[in-house]
């Protein structure tokens, strides 16, 4: 007989949903939303529902694999772990532990995925990744301005007079915010969407502003200029709670509103409208991650923060520069789990440049890489370099549930237990401030094991088994430790399914900031207005824009979490090249035509689809597609880092396009 249990979505997503999972005969048979979850309220997206297909997929890896003479053969866990441990020992002795790279992303929101760091730290320290391809520039920007990146609680939106969704694809990537926006609109809030693509959220907006990709920092400068001209700035906040505004004023004076309008391709009257709107508090700004994936990503977010601050919208109910909510992750005892003091050697590569750094590393060279919670071959920019780097290794170990493009290059592939096959607690530092509990409901297929089990087994072979002599339960309890005094314990989570974390619902309400000065620190515009430009633009270099006249975005797919769901979809996925109407007209392209997209980094073929409303000269190819379906858009994207925070420049990418006859 089928039974229904509570659980939590483990996917890397804004929403961190509460789930109800039906289990029958030891198998997951249905995944639905949990109506009792206070934020996600029983609604979930297709990616969540498809977790049922994902765990039961016939393509799941069931046994460890070893590459022998170019093809994979089944190997026992004993042998695989003995051989991997022996190689790790040998590399450590011969070249030092830094000859091993731990490559990872954040593909699973479970707290115990952090045990990977515990393992590598206790091993003595390996070459680690820092920075973030996902949100790095924006996080650093907010740390510079506020001292940290904190958001208002979702319900605070009902206090807002206006809501600005700036570069966030809410309807697709953050569905519960979409629901809240509709409700807030119903209660009288005005909704504005700023995005080069008129996405589904733009359709419900009162005003939609289209902007040249990469020019939002300059647009924010225009809004600030108008705010000052109209005397709508919050003088008290500027004089008492902030510093650096006079320097920023110089930047604003160095460029005219007319030039800003010309470069951003936003009409002056829209800029004035936005300034007036910001002056009519409270205004909530919901900042997305798209527009900080540019060379100028950090300065863009700092300029948006500046608009929010100068207009007096910081620390008030219904306001805020809401980008991420790191209060959530900071609630747990991370260091107790990762044991950073155990590291004896230390070297870092940035996530963005990991391929290049792997290829160039000396003293020691990278001999071996261990990939967990990531699919770098598909997800890293400039993927031909990534392929070169990962195929040049003496030894590559990939732990995953599926044979991804990265796993296909490995010497050993280790099969991993997936959602519902192990107990953990789940949260996201992106949006709401609830932690969810997910119990173990079914056994993993075949011989698949949890990452934690693998770390424990390798630790035994490498002589530090004591550091892994804890049960999952004990480890989760260690993580929840600091919350015990607030009445949040693993026992309570097991019973009550989720808990509200003790965080500020209106961050910075006391106007005491975590910056060095204790004040809000305005972007000072070092480098002048040029610091607000993306890298690949005619305003920096005419010739590149002549060769490659179109902006390529590669946004997150509707039906897949990055590379994780495409192979489970009922229709065969393919490379869909979405183009703005003007490109279609110029090149005489119709829906369904085959096209080729290229730049100096690579090329990709796909099928054209005309975007009804997108900024002129804009193309989008959704990210995450593996080779078997036509390949990743990342053959085209640059691997430069953003101006701060070691973030990405994935969308700072010009291309050319032609119809294939
Ligand atoms: N369906 C789905 N949902 C997801 C994910 C997924 O893979 N699939 N991934 C999750 C993860 S890890 C993340 S990081 C989040 C990301 O969530 P979002 O930030 O919402 O999504 P992105 O796809 O990164 O891009 C967001 C938006 O930025 C816009 N954009 C691009 N360039 C510019 C610009 O220069 N200016 C402005 N104003 N807008 C611009 C794009 O048109 C797009 O609408 O989504 C999470 N949710
Ligand atoms: N062009 C372009 N590229 C992008 C982006 C973009 O917008 N455009 N977005 C970037 C962003 S925001 C992100 S966050 C990254 C995401 O990049 P990744 O995190 O690398 O991508 P995913 O496809 O989500 O997951 C990678 C793999 O992790 C595995 N996995 C899941 N859970 C576990 C686990 O518990 N243990 C182990 N060992 N493996 C697990 C999955 O099976 C999957 O194969 O992509 C980035 N790449
Ligand atoms: S992917 Fe996101 S929206 Fe979908 S079920 Fe999971 S947490 Fe919820
Ligand atoms: Mo992300």
């Amino acid at each position: 007989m089928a039974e229904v249990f509570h659980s939590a979505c483990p996917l890397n997503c804004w929403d961190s949903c509460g789930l109800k999972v039906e289990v029958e005969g030891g198998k997951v048979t249905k995944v639905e939303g949990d109506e009792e979850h206070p934020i996600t309220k029983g609604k979930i997206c297709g990616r969540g529902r498809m977790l049922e297909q994902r765990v039961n997929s016939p393509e799941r890896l069931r046994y460890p694999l070893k590459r022998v003479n170019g093809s994979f053969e089944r190997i026992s866990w004993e042998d695989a772990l003995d051989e991997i441990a022996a190689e790790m020992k040998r590399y450590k002795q011969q070249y030092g532990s830094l000859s091993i790279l731990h490559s990872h992303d954040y593909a699973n929101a479970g707290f115990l995925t952090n045990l990977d760091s515990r393992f590598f730290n206790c091993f003595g320290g390996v070459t680690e990744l820092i920075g973030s391809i996902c949100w790095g520039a924006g996080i650093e920007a907010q740390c510079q301005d506020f001292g940290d990146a904190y958001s208002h609680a979702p319900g605070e939106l009902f206090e807002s007079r206006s809501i600005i969704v700036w570069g966030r694809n809410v309807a697709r990537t953050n569905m519960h915010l979409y629901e809240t926006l509709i409700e807030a609109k119903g209660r009288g809030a005005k909704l504005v969407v700023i995005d080069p693509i008129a996405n589904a959220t733009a359709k419900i907006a009162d005003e939609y502003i289209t902007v040249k990709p990469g020019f939002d920092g300059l647009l924010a400068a225009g809004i600030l200029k108008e705010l000052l001209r109209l005397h709508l700035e919050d003088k008290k906040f500027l004089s008492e709670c902030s510093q650096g505004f006079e320097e920023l004023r110089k930047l604003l004076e160095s460029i005219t509103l007319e030039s800003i309008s010309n470069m951003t391709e936003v009409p002056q009257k829209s800029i004035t409208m936005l300034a007036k709107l910001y002056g009519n508090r409270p205004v909530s700004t919901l900042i997305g991650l798209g527009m900080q994936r540019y060379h100028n990503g950090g300065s863009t977010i700092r300029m948006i923060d500046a608009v929010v601050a100068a207009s007096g919208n910081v620390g008030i109910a219904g306001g805020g520069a809401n980008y991420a909510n790191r209060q959530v992750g900071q609630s747990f005892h991370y260091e107790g789990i990762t044991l950073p003091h155990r590291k004896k050697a230390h070297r870092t590569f940035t996530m963005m440049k990991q391929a290049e750094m792997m290829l160039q590393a000396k003293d020691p060279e990278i001999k071996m890489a261990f990939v967990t919670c990531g699919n770098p071959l598909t997800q890293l920019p400039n993927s031909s370099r990534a392929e070169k780097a990962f195929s040049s290794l003496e030894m590559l170990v990939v732990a995953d549930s599926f044979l991804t493009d990265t796993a296909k290059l490995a010497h050993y592939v280790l099969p991993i237990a997936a959602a519902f096959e192990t107990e953990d607690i789940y949260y996201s530092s992106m949006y709401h401030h609830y932690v969810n509990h997910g119990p173990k409901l079914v056994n993993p297929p075949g011989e698949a094991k949890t990452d934690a089990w693998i770390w424990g087994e390798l630790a035994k072979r490498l002589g530090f088994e004591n550091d892994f002599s804890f049960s999952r339960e004990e480890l989760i309890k260690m993580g929840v430790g600091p919350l015990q005094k607030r009445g949040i314990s693993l026992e309570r989570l097991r019973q009550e399914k989720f808990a509200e974390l003790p965080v500020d619902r209106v961050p910075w309400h006391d106007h005491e900031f975590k910056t060095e000065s204790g004040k809000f620190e305005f972007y000072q515009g070092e480098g002048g207005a040029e610091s607000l430009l993306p890298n690949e633009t005619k305003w920096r270099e005419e010739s590149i824009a002549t060769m490659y006249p179109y902006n390529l975005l590669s946004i997150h797919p509707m039906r897949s979490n990055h590379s994780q769901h495409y192979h489970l979809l009922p229709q065969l996925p393919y490379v869909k090249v979405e183009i703005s109407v003007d490109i279609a007209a110029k090149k005489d392209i119709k829906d369904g035509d085959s096209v080729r997209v290229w730049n100096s980094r690579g090329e990709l073929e796909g099928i054209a689809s005309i975007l009804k409303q997108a900024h002129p000269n804009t193309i989008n190819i959704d990210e995450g597609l593996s080779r078997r379906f036509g390949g990743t858009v990342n053959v085209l994207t640059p691997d430069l880092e953003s101006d701060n925070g070691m973030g990405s420049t994935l969308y700072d990418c010009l291309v050319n396009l032609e119809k294939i006859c």
Side-chain angles (χ1 to χ4, degrees):
M1 222 194 48
E3 265 191 279
V4 177
F5 301 90
H6 79 262
S7 188
C9 182
L11 294 169
N12 180 3
C13 178
W14 295 95
D15 292 62
S16 205
C17 291
L19 302 181
K20 278 193 323 198
V21 179
E22 186 186 87
V23 177
E24 188 167 8
K27 272 194 168 305
V28 171
T29 46
K30 198 193 247 175
V31 179
E32 290 183 304
D34 179 358
E35 302 84 354
E36 290 178 14
H37 194 282
I39 302 286
T40 63
K41 295 180 181 156
K43 292 202 176 160
I44 57 167
C45 76
R47 295 164 291 148
R49 269 191 298 277
M50 255 198 282
L51 287 170
E52 183 264 305
Q53 284 99 307
R54 212 174 134 78
V55 292
N56 293 319
S57 167
E59 290 185 29
R60 279 285 297 273
L61 292 166
R62 278 150 212 272
Y63 311 103
L65 300 172
K66 178 182 181 180
R67 178 180 301 283
V68 182
N69 299 325
S71 48
F72 285 123
E73 287 181 6
R74 184 172 166 182
I75 180 176
S76 71
W77 271 111
E78 271 314 287
D79 289 349
L81 293 164
D82 286 349
E83 290 174 27
I84 293 167
E87 288 295 277
M88 289 184 77
K89 248 188 226 166
R90 182 173 72 81
Y91 287 128
K92 187 174 177 179
Q93 266 159 16
Q94 244 174 302
Y95 309 102
S97 61
L98 299 180
S99 62
I100 300 173
L101 169 74
H102 175 214
S103 173
H104 64 92
D105 207 301
Y106 296 96
N108 186 312
F111 179 70
L112 289 190
T113 51
N114 291 311
L115 288 172
D116 53 5
S117 301
R118 183 187 189 90
F119 172 78
F120 288 110
N121 288 340
C122 293
F123 177 67
V126 295
T127 300
E128 292 173 57
L129 297 181
I130 51 168
S132 163
I133 192 172
C134 172
W135 65 359
I139 293 286
E140 179 61 20
Q142 294 221 312
C143 287
Q144 287 171 338
D145 293 342
F146 298 92
D148 214 327
Y150 295 162
S151 285
H152 290 227
E156 296 298 307
L157 221 49
F158 299 132
E159 307 290 323
S160 310
R161 198 163 260 155
S162 304
I163 301 169
I164 317 276
V165 173
W166 204 329
R168 196 187 295 186
N169 198 358
V170 178
R172 183 186 287 203
T173 64
N174 190 185
M175 64 174 285
H176 298 92
L177 174 58
Y178 184 72
E179 302 279 322
T180 312
L181 289 179
I182 292 175
E183 199 179 333
K185 248 182 80 103
R187 296 188 189 196
K190 178 170 177 161
L191 177 64
V192 179
V193 167
I194 308 176
D195 202 299
I197 298 178
N199 50 33
T201 318
K203 302 225 160 65
I204 59 158
D206 298 294
E207 297 272 355
Y208 165 61
I209 311 269
T210 174
V211 55
K212 179 83 177 157
F215 282 78
D216 302 80
L218 214 49
L219 172 60
I223 300 172
L224 277 168
K225 277 178 85 77
E226 284 297 85
L227 199 76
L228 293 175
R229 185 180 66 80
L230 297 165
H231 305 293
L232 292 172
E233 75 275 24
D234 180 345
K235 293 193 185 63
K236 190 159 183 283
F237 183 88
L238 291 183
S239 63
E240 290 173 18
C241 312
S242 75
Q243 70 171 38
F245 192 70
E246 287 315 307
E247 284 76 4
L248 177 57
R249 200 190 285 270
K250 283 185 206 132
L251 181 149
L252 300 177
E253 283 165 1
S254 74
I255 184 161
T256 64
L257 192 65
E258 195 183 1
S259 312
I260 290 177
S261 172
N262 184 21
M263 292 167 88
T264 56
E265 301 176 6
V266 178
Q268 287 189 34
K269 68 172 185 346
S270 302
I271 302 177
T272 310
M273 180 277 287
L274 285 167
K276 286 184 181 157
L277 196 115
Y278 267 105
N280 192 10
R281 301 191 285 262
V283 180
S284 174
T285 307
L286 300 161
I287 307 172
L289 277 50
M291 74 201 148
Q292 48 92 58
R293 298 196 185 110
Y294 290 83
H295 163 73
N296 55 337
S299 58
T300 296
I301 302 301
R302 293 200 71 186
M303 287 301 287
I304 294 173
D305 290 348
V307 172
V308 176
S311 61
N313 280 296
V314 166
I316 60 168
N322 302 285
Y323 174 74
N325 202 359
R326 297 215 306 176
Q327 301 180 94
V328 174
Q330 288 164 0
S331 305
F332 300 90
H333 188 29
Y334 180 75
E335 292 200 348
I337 288 292
T338 57
L339 305 181
H341 63 280
R342 295 291 300 280
K343 225 182 299 203
K344 291 198 184 76
H346 186 56
R347 177 167 71 178
T348 53
F349 288 176
T350 62
M351 205 174 242
M352 280 297 289
K353 289 228 151 272
Q354 67 182 284
E356 210 48 56
M357 288 168 136
M358 279 164 82
L359 290 166
Q360 316 235 331
K362 300 243 171 344
D363 301 328
E365 290 176 16
I366 297 292
K367 298 288 180 187
M368 172 178 184
F370 215 123
V371 178
T372 62
C373 285
N375 182 8
L377 230 66
T378 311
Q379 298 306 125
L380 282 188
N382 199 0
S383 39
S384 41
R385 293 303 280 169
E387 177 162 18
K388 181 146 195 237
F390 281 90
S391 10
S392 68
L393 294 164
E394 279 181 14
M395 168 78 132
L396 174 62
V397 181
V398 175
D400 207 305
S401 309
F402 290 89
L403 201 60
T404 60
D405 283 347
T406 310
K408 282 182 183 152
L409 293 182
H411 299 92
Y412 293 88
V413 182
L414 306 178
I416 295 296
F420 321 129
E421 294 168 356
T422 182
E423 182 179 28
D424 212 338
I425 52 168
Y426 300 86
Y427 55 83
S428 156
S429 294
M430 295 172 80
Y431 177 51
H432 68 73
H433 56 284
Y434 282 77
V435 55
N436 303 331
H437 175 253
K440 177 175 174 176
L441 300 177
V442 292
N443 287 321
E447 295 176 2
K449 301 282 186 199
T450 61
D451 296 78
W453 180 85
I454 296 173
W455 304 135
E457 288 296 312
L458 286 174
K460 258 186 229 161
R461 289 162 172 82
L462 293 164
F464 51 93
E465 64 265 48
N466 285 349
D467 296 301
F468 281 84
S469 62
F470 303 97
S471 65
R472 274 189 100 76
E473 180 170 8
E474 286 167 323
L475 289 162
I476 297 174
K477 283 185 174 165
M478 274 184 219
V480 179
L483 293 164
Q484 300 266 10
K485 57 180 181 297
R486 312 295 285 256
I488 301 174
S489 62
L490 176 59
E491 288 77 13
R492 189 180 138 196
L493 282 169
R494 279 175 172 163
Q495 252 176 16
E496 296 180 13
K497 314 189 274 194
F498 42 76
E500 183 172 11
L501 295 167
V503 304
D504 248 342
R505 295 180 65 88
V506 180
W508 317 120
H509 57 86
D510 51 7
H511 286 170
E512 279 180 23
F513 298 98
K514 285 170 79 182
T515 53
E516 230 167 83
S517 62
K519 303 205 161 176
F520 177 91
E521 297 191 4
F522 278 101
Y523 180 60
Q524 312 226 330
E526 301 90 349
E530 207 181 301
S531 69
L532 302 178
L533 298 181
N535 190 36
E536 300 195 356
T537 167
K538 69 174 179 190
W539 300 102
R540 273 190 201 277
E541 197 187 329
E542 188 72 48
S543 61
I544 182 178
T546 315
M547 259 187 304
Y548 306 118
Y550 308 123
N551 284 94
L552 174 71
L553 308 184
S554 47
I555 67 173
H556 293 197
M558 174 78 187
R559 299 193 194 291
S560 184
N561 225 60
H562 308 295
S563 66
Q564 297 198 43
H565 295 73
Y566 282 110
H567 60 288
L568 307 165
L569 295 172
Q571 289 103 3
L572 201 66
Y574 62 94
V575 179
K576 186 187 203 181
V577 182
E578 296 180 301
I579 57 174
S580 54
V581 177
D582 60 304
I583 302 179
K586 256 181 277 186
K587 302 268 177 178
D588 187 27
I589 294 172
K590 294 185 188 53
D591 278 333
D593 284 347
S594 295
V595 292
R596 185 174 81 94
V597 185
W598 77 95
N599 60 19
S600 61
R601 291 174 287 267
E603 66 169 68
L604 192 64
E605 289 183 5
I607 307 293
S609 167
I610 301 167
L611 289 165
K612 284 198 192 72
Q613 203 186 348
H615 203 81
N617 296 319
T618 302
I619 299 178
N620 173 58
I621 303 174
D622 283 355
E623 51 106 342
L625 210 57
S626 62
R627 282 221 172 128
R628 66 200 258 214
F629 302 121
T632 172
V633 62
N634 280 322
V635 291
L636 297 160
T637 55
D639 57 7
L640 295 176
E641 281 164 30
S642 53
D643 53 359
N644 69 11
M646 297 161 285
S648 67
T649 53
L650 290 160
Y651 301 176
D652 197 338
C653 179
L654 291 180
V655 294
N656 208 335
L657 169 143
E658 66 180 8
K659 183 152 94 171
I660 312 173
C661 296

